[in-house]
C-alpha cells in the first residue's frame, strides 16, 4: 500500500509495470487500485497484461494505492510509477 498526498485539485496518473506477462498462467497477474481515505475503491485496473494504468481527477487530500494479487497466489516483481498534474 502506498499513500499519495494531493496538495491541490489535479490529475493523478499511475502506471504499474509488471515483470512477466501479467497473466494468471505464470502467476504474475497483479491489480492496481486507487482508494480514498476511508478505503473505498475510487477506480481500479484489473487487466491481465504486463502493464496497468489509471488516471483520475482528484480533490486535495490523501489517497491510497494498492497493488494486489489478481487472485491466483501471484508473486511478481513490479515497478509503480506515479505522477501528478496539479490544477492551479
Amino acid at each position: 500500500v502506498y499513500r499519495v498526498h494531493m496538495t491541490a485539485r489535479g490529475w493523478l496518473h499511475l502506471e504499474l509495470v509488471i515483470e512477466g506477462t501479467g497473466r494468471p498462467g505464470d502467476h504474475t497477474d497483479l491489480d492496481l487500485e486507487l482508494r480514498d481515505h476511508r478505503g473505498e475503491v475510487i477506480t481500479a485496473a484489473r487487466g491481465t497484461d504486463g502493464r496497468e494504468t489509471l488516471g483520475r481527477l482528484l480533490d486535495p487530500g490523501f489517497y491510497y494505492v494498492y497493488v494486489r494479487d489478481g487472485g491466483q497466489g501471484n508473486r511478481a516483481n513490479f515497478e509503480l510509477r506515479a505522477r501528478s498534474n496539479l490544477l492551479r
Side-chain angles (χ1 to χ4, degrees), residues 18 20-30 47-50 52 72 74:
I18 302 164
T21 66
R23 296 193 176 116
D26 65 355
H27 298 283
T28 60
D29 180 18
L30 299 177
T48 55
D49 292 320
E52 308 268 354
Q72 303 265 333
N74 300 311

Side-chain angles (χ1 to χ4, degrees), residues 39-51:
E40 299 292 325
V41 176
I42 297 170
T43 188
R46 295 190 173 100
T48 55
D49 292 320
R51 182 175 167 262

Side-chain angles (χ1 to χ4, degrees), residues 2-37:
Y2 303 88
R3 186 172 75 165
V4 176
H5 182 211
M6 296 292 288
T7 57
R9 184 172 170 82
W11 286 93
L12 177 64
H13 300 277
L14 300 169
E15 179 182 25
L16 177 67
V17 180
I18 302 164
E19 191 175 297
T21 66
R23 296 193 176 116
D26 65 355
H27 298 283
T28 60
D29 180 18
L30 299 177
D31 295 334
L32 182 61
E33 295 178 348
L34 178 63
R35 295 177 178 237
D36 64 16
H37 68 278

